[in-house]
Amino acid sequence: MIKAIIVDDEPLARQSVILALNDIGGVQIIAECENGFEAVKTIREFKPDLVFLDIQMPKLSGFDVIELMGQEMPPVIFITAYDEFAVKAFDANAVDYLLKPVNPTRLQQALDKISAKPSASLKKIDNLMKSRGESGKSLERLLIRDGAEVHILNVNDIVFIQAHGDYIKIHTRERYFIKMERISNLHQRLPGNIFKRVHRSYLININCLKKIEPYSKDDKLAILSTGQQIPISRTGYQEIRKIL
């Protein structure tokens, strides 16, 4: 018996999947979620074998849920109202999906694929998320998970970001957050006109730069509006000079 949860902000959509599953058998729905915040908490708590995941939801989309869960994300069958043109993106990555309203035959086919090779399904999701990350569109917000709690940061509220190996520490004026991501990867996704790599371990929000002071022969210090001091390498200083 496959233990699954359904994530969809539309109660009728959730019910249609449940009714179709009842006819097919072999799947037990252990929880329902009406938004992405509930999904993150429920997936972490129940650790289901499978997630039926809506894509278009308020605040947190289905893709946001996957990003927040990372390696903890179980195999997924997307539920989508996307038109045929948009669905081609899923076909290109061989991701399992269901169009609304759910077709029982198509549901059975998706379940068969997941059951046969669950690890292959996870790889497909990784490929899809990678293609989305390489879309070239700059981030407008940053999603951070702290246990079951989810934070949504507007990138303009970030003062600076510090690298710690595979992790980064994201500083706002009020506090900092920890996220598992390399600073070089995040740098590529942030707006280039706002965030500058001033040091191999630091990204700063150029709008929070108050002044630059000499530190040594080749290095300088960025004095931020919060009073924090960030080292600037020679290469980093050349980057900043281009916009000053």
Side-chain angles (χ1 to χ4, degrees):
M1 181 71 71
I2 297 173
K3 295 182 178 180
I5 69 170
I6 300 177
V7 185
D8 198 309
D9 61 311
E10 301 175 3
L12 290 178
R14 297 198 302 270
Q15 189 62 25
S16 69
V17 175
I18 292 173
L19 291 174
L21 288 172
N22 288 340
D23 292 336
I24 293 173
V27 179
Q28 177 188 2
I29 300 301
I30 57 176
E32 295 181 48
C33 305
E34 62 180 20
N35 58 62
F37 293 98
E38 288 184 9
V40 171
K41 181 179 180 180
T42 304
I43 293 170
R44 189 169 183 266
E45 179 180 353
F46 287 86
K47 296 179 172 54
D49 304 315
L50 175 65
V51 177
F52 293 94
L53 183 61
D54 187 16
I55 296 173
Q56 294 172 300
M57 295 183 292
K59 295 185 179 179
L60 288 182
S61 70
F63 294 126
D64 292 335
V65 172
I66 293 173
E67 179 182 341
L68 287 163
M69 293 306 303
Q71 295 300 314
E72 296 180 58
M73 192 68 201
V76 170
I77 294 177
F78 284 111
I79 305 172
T80 176
Y82 279 15
D83 58 29
E84 185 177 356
F85 176 78
V87 165
K88 289 181 180 179
F90 293 89
D91 287 331
N93 290 280
V95 172
D96 301 302
Y97 65 90
L98 300 172
L99 290 175
K100 296 180 182 180
V102 173
N103 179 289
T105 301
R106 184 66 185 84
L107 173 59
Q108 180 67 71
Q109 292 172 349
L111 288 171
D112 290 343
K113 287 197 292 183
I114 292 289
S115 299
K117 294 183 178 181
S119 59
S121 177
L122 291 172
K123 186 175 181 180
K124 296 170 189 175
I125 296 298
D126 286 341
N127 291 339
L128 179 62
M129 295 301 290
K130 183 179 179 181
S131 67
R132 292 183 73 248
E134 296 172 349
S135 64
K137 184 178 180 181
S138 296
L139 290 176
E140 296 179 354
R141 61 180 189 166
L142 204 58
L143 303 175
I144 301 170
R145 197 184 106 199
D146 182 9
E149 189 175 0
V150 174
H151 302 276
I152 303 177
L153 295 184
N154 186 309
V155 296
N156 293 308
D157 294 331
I158 299 172
V159 177
F160 72 96
I161 299 169
Q162 183 179 5
H164 291 272
D166 290 335
Y167 291 83
I168 52 175
K169 184 182 286 188
I170 302 161
H171 294 258
T172 67
R173 292 182 180 277
E174 294 78 24
R175 57 172 294 185
Y176 68 82
F177 301 89
I178 301 295
K179 184 177 176 67
M180 187 174 181
E181 184 165 2
R182 285 193 171 275
I183 195 169
S184 56
N185 293 338
L186 183 59
H187 185 204
Q188 295 175 2
R189 300 163 59 208
L190 289 169
N193 62 325
I194 298 177
F195 290 91
K196 296 298 179 182
R197 187 85 175 263
V198 297
H199 186 276
R200 63 186 180 87
S201 298
Y202 291 93
L203 281 168
I204 69 169
N205 182 336
I206 203 69
N207 295 323
C208 297
L209 177 62
K210 185 177 180 180
K211 60 181 178 178
I212 296 175
E213 294 183 349
Y215 178 68
S216 65
K217 181 180 178 181
D218 295 323
D219 299 320
K220 301 182 185 300
L221 283 178
I223 311 300
L224 305 181
S225 56
T226 55
Q228 291 153 309
Q229 300 180 357
I230 305 297
I232 303 177
S233 65
R234 181 188 298 178
T235 303
Y237 183 60
Q238 295 301 321
E239 283 297 308
I240 291 181
R241 285 191 62 184
K242 293 177 184 179
I243 60 173
L244 294 181

